[in-house]
Amino acid sequence: VNTFVGSTGFILALYAAQAAAQTTQPQQPSHPSMAEVIAASKPGDWRPLEDENTLYVDLPAGRVIIELAPAFAPRHVENVRTLAREGYYDGLFITRSQDNYVAQWGDPDGKREMKKGSRTLPAEFERDVPASPGELPFTKLPDGDVYAKEVGFSRGMPAARDPGTNKAWLVHCYAMVGAGRDNTADSGGGAELYVVTGHAPRHLDRNVTLLGRVVKGMELLSSLPRGPQPMGFYDNPADRTPLVRVQVASDVPAAQRTSLEVLRTDTPTFAALVESRRNRPEAWFLHKADRVEICNVPLPVRPRR
Amino acid sequence: VNTFVGSTGFILALYAAQAAAQTTQPQQPSHPSMAEVIAASKPGDWRPLEDENTLYVDLPAGRVIIELAPAFAPRHVENVRTLAREGYYDGLFITRSQDNYVAQWGDPDGKREMKKGSRTLPAEFERDVPASPGELPFTKLPDGDVYAKEVGFSRGMPAARDPGTNKAWLVHCYAMVGAGRDNTADSGGGAELYVVTGHAPRHLDRNVTLLGRVVKGMELLSSLPRGPQPMGFYDNPADRTPLVRVQVASDVPAAQRTSLEVLRTDTPTFAALVESRRNRPEAWFLHKADRVEICNVPLPVRPRR
């Protein structure tokens, strides 16, 4: 069976296999592979997901876990927490799955009552770069970007910066979560959320409030049947996938939480991981790209140790 | 219901909806939208798929249609035709679906006999740029690329060029089809084919022979359940999706062919389409990207008129 290595997705399962391959096929790479970077990482290279910033979206097929991004969308994140806590999402549906684009959930009939949550909020498309770099670390990537002047990672999220305007914003990579809106900037709020399931639709950057990223369970969203209507809407309500329950992790009994940690993006270990993806030392790669685009940088996640 | 417009996928169904929206919500865009570009296109802006360069991959759920790219991979394309004609693929399986990466098919047991086809071929990772530009038109995109010096489209396929080496190659956008291989360059041949189902894995460029692109039916591949094993292999053979039949379109009775045409990529109409995606005139877009990355340029396809 011909195969090829390398994944930008959820790679827990790959670590063991790649580590084994490294053991049985020793090489002399000029720099470590991603598997070696991960294997050599120290506990401090990882950070646990904060329960208050973690959303569990339970589908019939399993749990989707979203890390929220209050550093970029504080009001939207707070509203999503409020909506989850009042049970607003429970029993709503994934109403739309558009191929190579997004899956989106919400209230198909517009009849669901909202208690403390807000239906709309002022847009949080971008934010100021703080005066103190430590307030919002930014690990800039070396190879540029088609859409933004600078791209990199802030607190585990793909982000862009414009030194001219001193603004920062999250970017639409695979697995990013945003708040659907109508034609005006302030017409979204988080009652309808979409997740990127295809090639990064970067033209949406600064057009929508991104508020988090799926860190586990993406395959449950990406493998949904596509809806036959324009923009991937399902025409038959029975084809919609229900949201069984949506909870903030801190509201879930500790024993029922899915305890995860993610690789920090502001460490020498992460810089080594980026380099391992720019030039793959694995024997399979015959042409080294010497480049990596922001949405091709993996963001490792694993059970908390 | 909050929604947003725009798709980089298969957009036949969207044309009518978008055209209707344009009619009821007149705007004064500085340039035409994609829907308007399509609506204003002339018959000569389209080209029919050539039956000899079209592969039908029939799955239980429907037909996947691949346009082959003999301009870039002539020997692989010829071998895939040969393998299809001798029935090599019929009854084989999609053995692997890796999230945000690829779906791949082949012979899981390595027992399928090969008659006239070749198991391996010399790599066709890149080709010379011909001396006469008309021999291989290249519509260069204006906004650069993270991986290649020049990117654009040649005969409907996303491609890159290096003026320094005078080489051209196909690039790994969503829906591109390549020949899986082992560690050596010449270990593939087309017996195992993979299709990109996630964010463009551009680090594979010039590492694999790309030989075509899925022009219809991508959603049948992208929505497959992901395999639980490393690299997305299915552990349970019953989870594999069978290839019911794989045929070159010219071998199929005319009445049973799926007759399609695709927008040419070497015309002023296509240049207008690119511009319509760099700066979206649709009212929903509040921030105009003024950029487009190669894998975000839609390649329209429709029933032949």
Side-chain angles (χ1 to χ4, degrees):
Chain A
V1 180
N2 296 332
T3 60
F4 48 78
V5 297
S7 162
T8 60
F10 297 87
I11 49 176
L12 280 172
L14 272 178
Y15 297 157
Q18 290 182 338
Q22 292 291 339
T23 306
T24 55
Q25 299 173 4
Q27 298 160 39
Q28 304 293 331
S30 55
H31 59 81
S33 69
M34 184 169 79
E36 291 167 328
V37 171
I38 299 286
S41 66
K42 300 288 181 290
D45 290 323
W46 299 78
R47 62 178 173 84
L49 291 191
E50 291 173 31
D51 290 330
E52 189 68 3
N53 284 331
T54 304
L55 200 67
Y56 294 160
V57 179
D58 289 340
L59 306 178
R63 176 169 286 180
V64 175
I65 301 181
I66 295 170
E67 179 172 27
L68 300 169
F72 287 89
R75 295 189 65 175
H76 280 73
V77 164
E78 187 52 43
N79 195 43
V80 166
R81 283 194 202 104
T82 300
L83 291 169
R85 284 177 167 144
E86 69 180 48
Y88 173 80
Y89 300 111
D90 299 348
L92 294 184
F93 294 92
I94 297 173
T95 55
R96 168 186 189 208
S97 171
Q98 180 172 351
D99 196 54
N100 193 24
Y101 205 43
V102 300
Q104 184 168 333
W105 58 79
D107 177 8
D109 309 312
K111 290 181 180 167
R112 176 63 56 103
E113 238 181 279
M114 202 172 276
K115 296 165 196 159
K116 293 183 184 168
S118 298
R119 215 161 270 285
T120 62
L121 285 175
E124 296 177 298
F125 296 165
E126 57 185 18
R127 58 158 288 167
D128 291 332
V129 173
S132 159
E135 201 180 309
L136 186 66
F138 180 66
T139 302
K140 187 178 153 185
L141 291 178
D143 303 312
D145 183 66
V146 171
Y147 290 91
K149 290 186 181 157
E150 297 182 349
V151 289
F153 292 88
S154 285
R155 296 197 182 148
M157 301 275 164
R161 291 193 170 193
D162 182 342
T165 62
N166 216 35
K167 295 289 185 187
W169 59 94
L170 296 178
V171 303
H172 279 82
C173 289
Y174 187 83
M176 290 298 287
V177 182
R181 66 160 172 87
D182 278 326
N183 276 10
T184 59
D186 300 346
S187 56
E192 293 211 25
L193 295 174
Y194 66 90
V195 180
V196 174
T197 57
H199 184 78
R202 296 285 308 281
H203 44 282
L204 299 179
D205 292 358
R206 287 184 279 179
N207 273 300
V208 202
T209 298
L210 288 169
L211 55 82
R213 196 174 74 82
V214 174
V215 295
K216 194 171 191 321
M218 256 313 289
E219 71 283 1
L220 302 176
L221 298 170
S222 58
S223 64
L224 289 172
R226 276 44 174 168
Q229 293 294 314
M231 299 192 286
F233 282 98
Y234 296 105
D235 45 3
N236 182 353
D239 292 338
R240 297 170 183 154
T241 299
L243 307 184
V244 177
R245 196 167 183 193
V246 177
Q247 298 164 281
V248 182
S250 46
D251 298 340
V252 173
Q256 294 165 32
R257 293 182 200 159
T258 309
S259 195
L260 297 176
E261 59 187 17
V262 295
L263 196 70
R264 289 178 57 162
T265 53
D266 57 348
T267 61
T269 293
F270 185 72
L273 180 140
V274 168
E275 188 53 35
S276 77
R277 301 304 272 192
R278 298 180 72 237
N279 286 297
R280 310 259 184 142
E282 295 91 348
W284 186 88
F285 283 91
L286 303 171
H287 174 82
K288 311 291 186 186
D290 198 25
R291 297 280 186 281
V292 73
E293 188 254 327
I294 183 166
C295 299
N296 272 325
V297 176
L299 295 168
V301 55
R302 68 183 186 188
R304 190 169 174 185
R305 295 188 178 179
Chain B
V1 179
N2 297 331
T3 60
F4 48 79
V5 297
S7 162
T8 59
F10 296 85
I11 49 176
L12 279 172
L14 273 178
Y15 296 159
Q18 290 182 338
Q22 293 291 338
T23 307
T24 54
Q25 299 172 2
Q27 298 161 38
Q28 304 294 331
S30 55
H31 59 82
S33 69
M34 184 169 79
E36 290 167 327
V37 170
I38 299 287
S41 66
K42 301 288 182 290
D45 290 323
W46 299 79
R47 62 178 173 83
L49 291 191
E50 292 172 32
D51 291 330
E52 189 68 4
N53 284 331
T54 304
L55 199 68
Y56 295 159
V57 179
D58 290 339
L59 306 179
R63 175 169 286 180
V64 174
I65 302 181
I66 295 170
E67 180 173 25
L68 300 168
F72 287 88
R75 295 189 66 173
H76 280 73
V77 164
E78 187 53 43
N79 195 43
V80 166
R81 283 194 203 103
T82 300
L83 290 169
R85 283 177 168 143
E86 70 180 46
Y88 173 80
Y89 299 111
D90 300 348
L92 294 184
F93 295 92
I94 298 174
T95 54
R96 167 185 190 208
S97 171
Q98 181 172 352
D99 196 55
N100 193 24
Y101 205 42
V102 300
Q104 184 168 331
W105 58 78
D107 177 7
D109 309 311
K111 291 181 179 167
R112 177 63 56 102
E113 237 180 279
M114 203 172 275
K115 295 163 196 160
K116 293 183 184 170
S118 298
R119 215 163 271 284
T120 63
L121 285 175
E124 295 176 299
F125 297 164
E126 57 184 18
R127 58 157 288 168
D128 291 332
V129 173
S132 159
E135 201 180 309
L136 186 66
F138 180 66
T139 302
K140 186 178 153 183
L141 291 178
D143 302 312
D145 183 67
V146 172
Y147 290 91
K149 290 186 181 157
E150 296 182 351
V151 289
F153 292 89
S154 285
R155 296 196 182 148
M157 302 274 165
R161 289 193 173 195
D162 182 343
T165 61
N166 216 34
K167 295 290 183 186
W169 59 94
L170 296 177
V171 303
H172 280 82
C173 289
Y174 187 82
M176 290 298 287
V177 182
R181 66 160 172 87
D182 278 326
N183 276 9
T184 60
D186 300 346
S187 55
E192 293 210 26
L193 295 173
Y194 66 89
V195 179
V196 175
T197 58
H199 183 77
R202 297 285 308 280
H203 46 280
L204 299 178
D205 292 357
R206 287 183 280 179
N207 272 300
V208 202
T209 299
L210 288 169
L211 54 82
R213 196 175 75 82
V214 174
V215 296
K216 195 172 191 315
M218 256 314 289
E219 70 283 3
L220 303 176
L221 298 171
S222 58
S223 65
L224 289 172
R226 278 41 176 170
Q229 292 294 315
M231 298 192 287
F233 282 97
Y234 297 105
D235 45 4
N236 182 352
D239 292 338
R240 297 171 183 153
T241 298
L243 306 183
V244 177
R245 196 167 181 192
V246 177
Q247 297 164 281
V248 182
S250 48
D251 298 341
V252 174
Q256 295 165 31
R257 293 181 202 162
T258 309
S259 195
L260 298 175
E261 59 187 17
V262 295
L263 196 70
R264 289 177 57 162
T265 53
D266 57 349
T267 62
T269 293
F270 185 73
L273 180 140
V274 169
E275 188 54 33
S276 78
R277 301 304 271 193
R278 297 181 72 238
N279 285 298
R280 310 260 184 142
E282 296 91 348
W284 187 87
F285 283 90
L286 303 172
H287 174 82
K288 312 291 186 185
D290 197 26
R291 297 280 186 281
V292 73
E293 187 254 326
I294 184 167
C295 298
N296 273 325
V297 176
L299 295 167
V301 55
R302 66 184 187 188
R304 189 168 173 185
R305 294 188 178 180

